Every structure is written in structure tokens, then in C-alpha cells.
mmCIF file of all heavy atoms in Angstrom:
data_model
loop_
_atom_site.group_PDB
_atom_site.id
_atom_site.type_symbol
_atom_site.label_atom_id
_atom_site.label_comp_id
_atom_site.label_asym_id
_atom_site.label_seq_id
_atom_site.Cartn_x
_atom_site.Cartn_y
_atom_site.Cartn_z
ATOM 1 N N LEU O 1 -17.771 24.796 54.638
ATOM 2 C CA LEU O 1 -16.483 25.307 54.250
ATOM 3 C C LEU O 1 -15.488 25.155 55.358
ATOM 4 O O LEU O 1 -14.254 24.968 55.091
ATOM 5 C CB LEU O 1 -16.602 26.753 53.776
ATOM 6 C CG LEU O 1 -17.346 26.917 52.457
ATOM 7 C CD1 LEU O 1 -17.467 28.468 52.195
ATOM 8 C CD2 LEU O 1 -16.542 26.292 51.233
ATOM 9 N N PHE O 2 -15.903 25.356 56.587
ATOM 10 C CA PHE O 2 -15.032 25.147 57.684
ATOM 11 C C PHE O 2 -14.513 23.732 57.831
ATOM 12 O O PHE O 2 -13.290 23.595 58.025
ATOM 13 C CB PHE O 2 -15.716 25.575 58.994
ATOM 14 C CG PHE O 2 -14.972 25.135 60.236
ATOM 15 C CD1 PHE O 2 -13.866 25.901 60.666
ATOM 16 C CD2 PHE O 2 -15.385 24.010 61.023
ATOM 17 C CE1 PHE O 2 -13.185 25.523 61.850
ATOM 18 C CE2 PHE O 2 -14.578 23.651 62.125
ATOM 19 C CZ PHE O 2 -13.553 24.460 62.532
ATOM 20 N N ILE O 3 -15.406 22.776 57.678
ATOM 21 C CA ILE O 3 -15.024 21.376 57.735
ATOM 22 C C ILE O 3 -13.999 21.053 56.543
ATOM 23 O O ILE O 3 -12.985 20.426 56.726
ATOM 24 C CB ILE O 3 -16.192 20.454 57.729
ATOM 25 C CG1 ILE O 3 -17.059 20.623 58.988
ATOM 26 C CG2 ILE O 3 -15.776 18.932 57.569
ATOM 27 C CD1 ILE O 3 -18.398 19.982 58.952
ATOM 28 N N ALA O 4 -14.357 21.571 55.393
ATOM 29 C CA ALA O 4 -13.583 21.363 54.185
ATOM 30 C C ALA O 4 -12.128 21.986 54.335
ATOM 31 O O ALA O 4 -11.211 21.393 53.927
ATOM 32 C CB ALA O 4 -14.281 21.886 52.966
ATOM 33 N N SER O 5 -12.102 23.148 54.991
ATOM 34 C CA SER O 5 -10.837 23.834 55.224
ATOM 35 C C SER O 5 -9.987 23.024 56.092
ATOM 36 O O SER O 5 -8.763 22.881 55.808
ATOM 37 C CB SER O 5 -11.105 25.229 55.843
ATOM 38 O OG SER O 5 -11.786 26.059 54.928
ATOM 39 N N TYR O 6 -10.535 22.475 57.172
ATOM 40 C CA TYR O 6 -9.802 21.615 58.102
ATOM 41 C C TYR O 6 -9.255 20.442 57.413
ATOM 42 O O TYR O 6 -7.995 20.049 57.550
ATOM 43 C CB TYR O 6 -10.661 21.262 59.300
ATOM 44 C CG TYR O 6 -9.889 20.430 60.425
ATOM 45 C CD1 TYR O 6 -9.162 21.016 61.338
ATOM 46 C CD2 TYR O 6 -9.794 19.057 60.322
ATOM 47 C CE1 TYR O 6 -8.409 20.380 62.279
ATOM 48 C CE2 TYR O 6 -9.150 18.345 61.163
ATOM 49 C CZ TYR O 6 -8.423 18.960 62.172
ATOM 50 O OH TYR O 6 -7.764 18.227 63.143
ATOM 51 N N VAL O 7 -10.067 19.715 56.669
ATOM 52 C CA VAL O 7 -9.609 18.472 56.070
ATOM 53 C C VAL O 7 -8.586 18.838 54.932
ATOM 54 O O VAL O 7 -7.558 18.191 54.808
ATOM 55 C CB VAL O 7 -10.877 17.833 55.371
ATOM 56 C CG1 VAL O 7 -10.385 16.645 54.455
ATOM 57 C CG2 VAL O 7 -11.804 17.369 56.411
ATOM 58 N N LEU O 8 -8.844 19.922 54.191
ATOM 59 C CA LEU O 8 -7.872 20.286 53.095
ATOM 60 C C LEU O 8 -6.530 20.632 53.678
ATOM 61 O O LEU O 8 -5.527 20.289 53.102
ATOM 62 C CB LEU O 8 -8.447 21.504 52.324
ATOM 63 C CG LEU O 8 -7.720 21.881 51.024
ATOM 64 C CD1 LEU O 8 -7.691 20.773 49.990
ATOM 65 C CD2 LEU O 8 -8.348 23.189 50.476
ATOM 66 N N LEU O 9 -6.515 21.332 54.795
ATOM 67 C CA LEU O 9 -5.238 21.865 55.287
ATOM 68 C C LEU O 9 -4.390 20.812 56.012
ATOM 69 O O LEU O 9 -3.135 20.762 55.952
ATOM 70 C CB LEU O 9 -5.529 23.045 56.224
ATOM 71 C CG LEU O 9 -4.309 23.921 56.706
ATOM 72 C CD1 LEU O 9 -3.680 24.539 55.408
ATOM 73 C CD2 LEU O 9 -4.688 24.871 57.691
ATOM 74 N N TYR O 10 -5.134 19.794 56.779
ATOM 75 C CA TYR O 10 -4.399 18.854 57.596
ATOM 76 C C TYR O 10 -4.466 17.407 57.102
ATOM 77 O O TYR O 10 -3.685 16.587 57.586
ATOM 78 C CB TYR O 10 -4.895 18.940 58.998
ATOM 79 C CG TYR O 10 -4.594 20.298 59.672
ATOM 80 C CD1 TYR O 10 -5.488 21.219 59.980
ATOM 81 C CD2 TYR O 10 -3.249 20.595 59.932
ATOM 82 C CE1 TYR O 10 -5.223 22.393 60.600
ATOM 83 C CE2 TYR O 10 -2.868 21.781 60.560
ATOM 84 C CZ TYR O 10 -3.858 22.719 60.944
ATOM 85 O OH TYR O 10 -3.576 23.864 61.555
ATOM 86 N N LYS O 11 -5.390 17.087 56.207
ATOM 87 C CA LYS O 11 -5.589 15.642 55.853
ATOM 88 C C LYS O 11 -5.283 15.382 54.348
ATOM 89 O O LYS O 11 -5.623 14.257 53.912
ATOM 90 C CB LYS O 11 -7.035 15.243 56.157
ATOM 91 C CG LYS O 11 -7.446 15.516 57.577
ATOM 92 C CD LYS O 11 -6.685 14.705 58.556
ATOM 93 C CE LYS O 11 -7.122 14.934 60.036
ATOM 94 N NZ LYS O 11 -6.325 14.133 60.965
ATOM 95 N N THR O 12 -4.765 16.316 53.702
ATOM 96 C CA THR O 12 -4.495 16.143 52.245
ATOM 97 C C THR O 12 -3.008 16.478 51.923
ATOM 98 O O THR O 12 -2.385 17.199 52.583
ATOM 99 C CB THR O 12 -5.422 16.994 51.342
ATOM 100 O OG1 THR O 12 -5.098 18.441 51.606
ATOM 101 C CG2 THR O 12 -6.882 16.656 51.649
ATOM 102 N N ARG O 13 -2.553 16.011 50.751
ATOM 103 C CA ARG O 13 -1.259 16.260 50.300
ATOM 104 C C ARG O 13 -1.084 17.725 49.935
ATOM 105 O O ARG O 13 -0.062 18.383 50.178
ATOM 106 C CB ARG O 13 -0.870 15.425 49.078
ATOM 107 C CG ARG O 13 0.479 15.574 48.479
ATOM 108 C CD ARG O 13 0.662 14.741 47.320
ATOM 109 N NE ARG O 13 0.577 13.335 47.572
ATOM 110 C CZ ARG O 13 0.673 12.383 46.642
ATOM 111 N NH1 ARG O 13 0.870 12.683 45.364
ATOM 112 N NH2 ARG O 13 0.524 11.139 46.927
ATOM 113 N N PHE O 14 -2.263 18.270 49.427
ATOM 114 C CA PHE O 14 -2.225 19.746 49.084
ATOM 115 C C PHE O 14 -2.002 20.595 50.273
ATOM 116 O O PHE O 14 -1.154 21.558 50.223
ATOM 117 C CB PHE O 14 -3.536 20.100 48.452
ATOM 118 C CG PHE O 14 -3.753 21.569 48.247
ATOM 119 C CD1 PHE O 14 -3.281 22.237 47.096
ATOM 120 C CD2 PHE O 14 -4.459 22.352 49.183
ATOM 121 C CE1 PHE O 14 -3.470 23.533 46.896
ATOM 122 C CE2 PHE O 14 -4.592 23.668 49.006
ATOM 123 C CZ PHE O 14 -4.110 24.303 47.862
ATOM 124 N N GLY O 15 -2.681 20.224 51.398
ATOM 125 C CA GLY O 15 -2.473 21.080 52.587
ATOM 126 C C GLY O 15 -1.085 21.000 53.130
ATOM 127 O O GLY O 15 -0.486 21.997 53.591
ATOM 128 N N LEU O 16 -0.492 19.818 53.096
ATOM 129 C CA LEU O 16 0.888 19.624 53.547
ATOM 130 C C LEU O 16 1.882 20.502 52.689
ATOM 131 O O LEU O 16 2.720 21.129 53.198
ATOM 132 C CB LEU O 16 1.288 18.167 53.516
ATOM 133 C CG LEU O 16 2.744 17.810 53.967
ATOM 134 C CD1 LEU O 16 2.938 18.220 55.416
ATOM 135 C CD2 LEU O 16 3.037 16.338 53.677
ATOM 136 N N ARG O 17 1.641 20.458 51.370
ATOM 137 C CA ARG O 17 2.494 21.170 50.498
ATOM 138 C C ARG O 17 2.287 22.734 50.705
ATOM 139 O O ARG O 17 3.241 23.497 50.616
ATOM 140 C CB ARG O 17 2.220 20.845 49.056
ATOM 141 C CG ARG O 17 2.693 19.450 48.694
ATOM 142 C CD ARG O 17 2.388 19.033 47.227
ATOM 143 N NE ARG O 17 2.959 17.765 46.878
ATOM 144 C CZ ARG O 17 2.902 17.225 45.642
ATOM 145 N NH1 ARG O 17 2.240 17.883 44.710
ATOM 146 N NH2 ARG O 17 3.422 16.053 45.419
ATOM 147 N N LEU O 18 1.118 23.107 50.890
ATOM 148 C CA LEU O 18 0.795 24.492 51.099
ATOM 149 C C LEU O 18 1.499 25.028 52.347
ATOM 150 O O LEU O 18 2.089 26.159 52.321
ATOM 151 C CB LEU O 18 -0.758 24.772 51.234
ATOM 152 C CG LEU O 18 -1.213 26.228 51.370
ATOM 153 C CD1 LEU O 18 -1.250 26.772 49.953
ATOM 154 C CD2 LEU O 18 -2.616 26.300 51.981
ATOM 155 N N ARG O 19 1.387 24.341 53.401
ATOM 156 C CA ARG O 19 2.026 24.691 54.663
ATOM 157 C C ARG O 19 3.582 24.676 54.529
ATOM 158 O O ARG O 19 4.274 25.554 55.073
ATOM 159 C CB ARG O 19 1.610 23.788 55.795
ATOM 160 C CG ARG O 19 0.120 24.100 56.275
ATOM 161 C CD ARG O 19 -0.299 23.222 57.397
ATOM 162 N NE ARG O 19 -0.554 21.857 57.013
ATOM 163 C CZ ARG O 19 -0.137 20.775 57.567
ATOM 164 N NH1 ARG O 19 0.638 20.824 58.608
ATOM 165 N NH2 ARG O 19 -0.436 19.508 57.102
ATOM 166 N N ALA O 20 4.063 23.722 53.807
ATOM 167 C CA ALA O 20 5.581 23.712 53.543
ATOM 168 C C ALA O 20 6.014 24.965 52.827
ATOM 169 O O ALA O 20 7.098 25.524 53.155
ATOM 170 C CB ALA O 20 5.867 22.449 52.715
ATOM 171 N N CYS O 21 5.260 25.551 51.855
ATOM 172 C CA CYS O 21 5.612 26.642 51.145
ATOM 173 C C CYS O 21 5.551 27.927 52.027
ATOM 174 O O CYS O 21 6.249 28.885 51.775
ATOM 175 C CB CYS O 21 4.688 26.827 49.927
ATOM 176 S SG CYS O 21 4.823 25.674 48.637
ATOM 177 N N GLY O 22 4.767 27.875 53.075
ATOM 178 C CA GLY O 22 4.772 29.030 54.017
ATOM 179 C C GLY O 22 5.831 28.965 55.068
ATOM 180 O O GLY O 22 6.094 29.923 55.757
ATOM 181 N N GLU O 23 6.340 27.729 55.331
ATOM 182 C CA GLU O 23 7.332 27.505 56.377
ATOM 183 C C GLU O 23 8.798 27.592 55.807
ATOM 184 O O GLU O 23 9.641 28.317 56.276
ATOM 185 C CB GLU O 23 7.101 26.227 57.074
ATOM 186 C CG GLU O 23 5.908 26.088 57.922
ATOM 187 C CD GLU O 23 5.908 27.020 59.112
ATOM 188 O OE1 GLU O 23 7.072 27.373 59.591
ATOM 189 O OE2 GLU O 23 4.840 27.432 59.645
ATOM 190 N N HIS O 24 8.922 26.842 54.748
ATOM 191 C CA HIS O 24 10.346 26.816 54.118
ATOM 192 C C HIS O 24 10.235 26.487 52.621
ATOM 193 O O HIS O 24 10.333 25.391 52.150
ATOM 194 C CB HIS O 24 11.174 25.663 54.787
ATOM 195 C CG HIS O 24 12.583 25.910 54.648
ATOM 196 N ND1 HIS O 24 13.282 26.092 53.442
ATOM 197 C CD2 HIS O 24 13.689 26.009 55.614
ATOM 198 C CE1 HIS O 24 14.616 26.320 53.587
ATOM 199 N NE2 HIS O 24 14.843 26.214 54.901
ATOM 200 N N PRO O 25 9.934 27.578 51.871
ATOM 201 C CA PRO O 25 9.753 27.339 50.460
ATOM 202 C C PRO O 25 10.873 26.757 49.693
ATOM 203 O O PRO O 25 10.688 26.013 48.663
ATOM 204 C CB PRO O 25 9.402 28.782 49.942
ATOM 205 C CG PRO O 25 9.956 29.709 50.986
ATOM 206 C CD PRO O 25 9.795 29.051 52.258
ATOM 207 N N GLN O 26 12.110 27.059 50.138
ATOM 208 C CA GLN O 26 13.289 26.484 49.472
ATOM 209 C C GLN O 26 13.294 25.036 49.641
ATOM 210 O O GLN O 26 13.589 24.274 48.644
ATOM 211 C CB GLN O 26 14.563 27.051 50.048
ATOM 212 C CG GLN O 26 14.929 28.483 49.565
ATOM 213 C CD GLN O 26 14.063 29.494 50.367
ATOM 214 O OE1 GLN O 26 13.442 29.177 51.396
ATOM 215 N NE2 GLN O 26 14.079 30.738 49.933
ATOM 216 N N ALA O 27 12.994 24.473 50.764
ATOM 217 C CA ALA O 27 12.973 23.032 51.007
ATOM 218 C C ALA O 27 11.873 22.423 50.162
ATOM 219 O O ALA O 27 12.014 21.294 49.618
ATOM 220 C CB ALA O 27 12.771 22.736 52.535
ATOM 221 N N ALA O 28 10.661 23.129 50.164
ATOM 222 C CA ALA O 28 9.604 22.599 49.312
ATOM 223 C C ALA O 28 9.931 22.467 47.894
ATOM 224 O O ALA O 28 9.605 21.522 47.224
ATOM 225 C CB ALA O 28 8.311 23.485 49.549
ATOM 226 N N ASP O 29 10.626 23.570 47.414
ATOM 227 C CA ASP O 29 11.046 23.523 45.997
ATOM 228 C C ASP O 29 11.987 22.405 45.674
ATOM 229 O O ASP O 29 11.974 21.832 44.590
ATOM 230 C CB ASP O 29 11.581 24.892 45.648
ATOM 231 C CG ASP O 29 11.736 25.159 44.153
ATOM 232 O OD1 ASP O 29 11.233 24.371 43.335
ATOM 233 O OD2 ASP O 29 12.337 26.154 43.742
ATOM 234 N N SER O 30 12.874 22.122 46.680
ATOM 235 C CA SER O 30 13.887 21.133 46.398
ATOM 236 C C SER O 30 13.297 19.689 46.213
ATOM 237 O O SER O 30 13.982 18.823 45.671
ATOM 238 C CB SER O 30 14.867 21.099 47.608
ATOM 239 O OG SER O 30 14.306 20.604 48.743
ATOM 240 N N VAL O 31 12.072 19.488 46.753
ATOM 241 C CA VAL O 31 11.452 18.160 46.450
ATOM 242 C C VAL O 31 10.339 18.250 45.385
ATOM 243 O O VAL O 31 9.522 17.330 45.291
ATOM 244 C CB VAL O 31 10.810 17.666 47.819
ATOM 245 C CG1 VAL O 31 11.902 17.419 48.853
ATOM 246 C CG2 VAL O 31 9.793 18.644 48.341
ATOM 247 N N GLY O 32 10.429 19.286 44.565
ATOM 248 C CA GLY O 32 9.614 19.258 43.358
ATOM 249 C C GLY O 32 8.247 19.949 43.516
ATOM 250 O O GLY O 32 7.450 19.973 42.652
ATOM 251 N N ILE O 33 8.046 20.716 44.604
ATOM 252 C CA ILE O 33 6.793 21.453 44.841
ATOM 253 C C ILE O 33 6.929 22.802 44.108
ATOM 254 O O ILE O 33 7.915 23.475 44.361
ATOM 255 C CB ILE O 33 6.498 21.644 46.290
ATOM 256 C CG1 ILE O 33 6.275 20.294 46.970
ATOM 257 C CG2 ILE O 33 5.212 22.496 46.496
ATOM 258 C CD1 ILE O 33 6.141 20.356 48.492
ATOM 259 N N ASN O 34 5.994 23.192 43.285
ATOM 260 C CA ASN O 34 5.937 24.434 42.636
ATOM 261 C C ASN O 34 5.479 25.568 43.637
ATOM 262 O O ASN O 34 4.239 25.631 43.906
ATOM 263 C CB ASN O 34 5.123 24.388 41.353
ATOM 264 C CG ASN O 34 5.241 25.651 40.477
ATOM 265 O OD1 ASN O 34 5.353 26.714 41.062
ATOM 266 N ND2 ASN O 34 5.253 25.484 39.195
ATOM 267 N N VAL O 35 6.413 26.272 44.212
ATOM 268 C CA VAL O 35 6.004 27.274 45.262
ATOM 269 C C VAL O 35 5.088 28.325 44.720
ATOM 270 O O VAL O 35 4.142 28.743 45.364
ATOM 271 C CB VAL O 35 7.335 27.842 45.847
ATOM 272 C CG1 VAL O 35 6.996 28.929 46.893
ATOM 273 C CG2 VAL O 35 8.128 26.819 46.543
ATOM 274 N N TYR O 36 5.422 28.795 43.515
ATOM 275 C CA TYR O 36 4.562 29.868 42.897
ATOM 276 C C TYR O 36 3.057 29.438 42.759
ATOM 277 O O TYR O 36 2.184 30.118 43.058
ATOM 278 C CB TYR O 36 5.191 30.269 41.552
ATOM 279 C CG TYR O 36 6.562 30.874 41.586
ATOM 280 C CD1 TYR O 36 7.562 30.316 40.873
ATOM 281 C CD2 TYR O 36 6.821 31.911 42.451
ATOM 282 C CE1 TYR O 36 8.756 30.831 40.864
ATOM 283 C CE2 TYR O 36 8.013 32.465 42.513
ATOM 284 C CZ TYR O 36 9.134 31.929 41.743
ATOM 285 O OH TYR O 36 10.350 32.426 41.794
ATOM 286 N N LYS O 37 2.912 28.171 42.272
ATOM 287 C CA LYS O 37 1.595 27.661 42.068
ATOM 288 C C LYS O 37 0.870 27.517 43.423
ATOM 289 O O LYS O 37 -0.355 27.740 43.566
ATOM 290 C CB LYS O 37 1.585 26.328 41.300
ATOM 291 C CG LYS O 37 1.848 26.387 39.850
ATOM 292 C CD LYS O 37 1.775 25.169 39.167
ATOM 293 C CE LYS O 37 1.987 25.260 37.629
ATOM 294 N NZ LYS O 37 1.883 23.916 36.947
ATOM 295 N N MET O 38 1.574 27.036 44.376
ATOM 296 C CA MET O 38 0.951 26.800 45.696
ATOM 297 C C MET O 38 0.540 28.070 46.372
ATOM 298 O O MET O 38 -0.436 28.266 46.994
ATOM 299 C CB MET O 38 1.923 26.010 46.637
ATOM 300 C CG MET O 38 2.179 24.589 46.158
ATOM 301 S SD MET O 38 0.698 23.503 45.867
ATOM 302 C CE MET O 38 -0.015 23.522 47.510
ATOM 303 N N ARG O 39 1.410 29.136 46.225
ATOM 304 C CA ARG O 39 1.103 30.380 46.725
ATOM 305 C C ARG O 39 -0.080 31.088 45.997
ATOM 306 O O ARG O 39 -1.007 31.672 46.667
ATOM 307 C CB ARG O 39 2.308 31.386 46.650
ATOM 308 C CG ARG O 39 3.357 30.955 47.671
ATOM 309 C CD ARG O 39 4.436 31.987 47.905
ATOM 310 N NE ARG O 39 5.271 31.653 49.044
ATOM 311 C CZ ARG O 39 6.198 32.411 49.513
ATOM 312 N NH1 ARG O 39 6.531 33.573 48.960
ATOM 313 N NH2 ARG O 39 6.917 32.057 50.573
ATOM 314 N N TYR O 40 -0.153 30.897 44.719
ATOM 315 C CA TYR O 40 -1.393 31.290 44.051
ATOM 316 C C TYR O 40 -2.609 30.567 44.457
ATOM 317 O O TYR O 40 -3.688 31.146 44.620
ATOM 318 C CB TYR O 40 -1.196 31.149 42.441
ATOM 319 C CG TYR O 40 -0.853 32.354 41.766
ATOM 320 C CD1 TYR O 40 0.379 32.509 41.150
ATOM 321 C CD2 TYR O 40 -1.780 33.404 41.624
ATOM 322 C CE1 TYR O 40 0.791 33.675 40.448
ATOM 323 C CE2 TYR O 40 -1.499 34.554 40.890
ATOM 324 C CZ TYR O 40 -0.201 34.666 40.320
ATOM 325 O OH TYR O 40 0.108 35.840 39.593
ATOM 326 N N ALA O 41 -2.495 29.317 44.728
ATOM 327 C CA ALA O 41 -3.673 28.573 45.223
ATOM 328 C C ALA O 41 -4.080 29.097 46.676
ATOM 329 O O ALA O 41 -5.314 29.211 46.838
ATOM 330 C CB ALA O 41 -3.255 27.061 45.417
ATOM 331 N N GLY O 42 -3.116 29.384 47.463
ATOM 332 C CA GLY O 42 -3.512 29.912 48.809
ATOM 333 C C GLY O 42 -4.262 31.287 48.650
ATOM 334 O O GLY O 42 -5.241 31.538 49.319
#
């Protein structure tokens, strides 16, 4: 799970979107990322 967490957070599109929602959700939303879904996923 530790290895999977590292890969998921830093090596996938999902991880990039997740981190974007925690840093600047308005910017993430402006490019089509569903902030609510990503926060639920986290």
C-alpha cells in the first residue's frame, strides 16, 4: 500500500488532480476537474 500510494500520488493523472484540488480547487475546476469527486476520493 505504501508503494501504491507513492505511485498513485506522484505518477498518475489521478494523483496530480487530487493534489491540484488541495492546492487551488478553483484552478482545477476551471480545467474540468470535478473537485467534489476528487475530495470524496481522497
Side-chain angles (χ1 to χ4, degrees):
L1 289 174
F2 169 75
I3 296 171
S5 297
Y6 181 87
V7 172
L8 186 63
L9 195 64
Y10 292 113
K11 305 296 181 181
T12 65
R13 182 183 298 178
F14 171 84
L16 180 62
R17 291 180 173 183
L18 186 80
R19 286 181 285 132
C21 291
E23 292 292 336
H24 203 305
Q26 286 80 12
D29 195 7
S30 69
V31 294
I33 298 172
N34 190 319
V35 177
Y36 298 125
K37 285 185 179 179
M38 294 307 296
R39 288 193 168 184
Y40 258 113

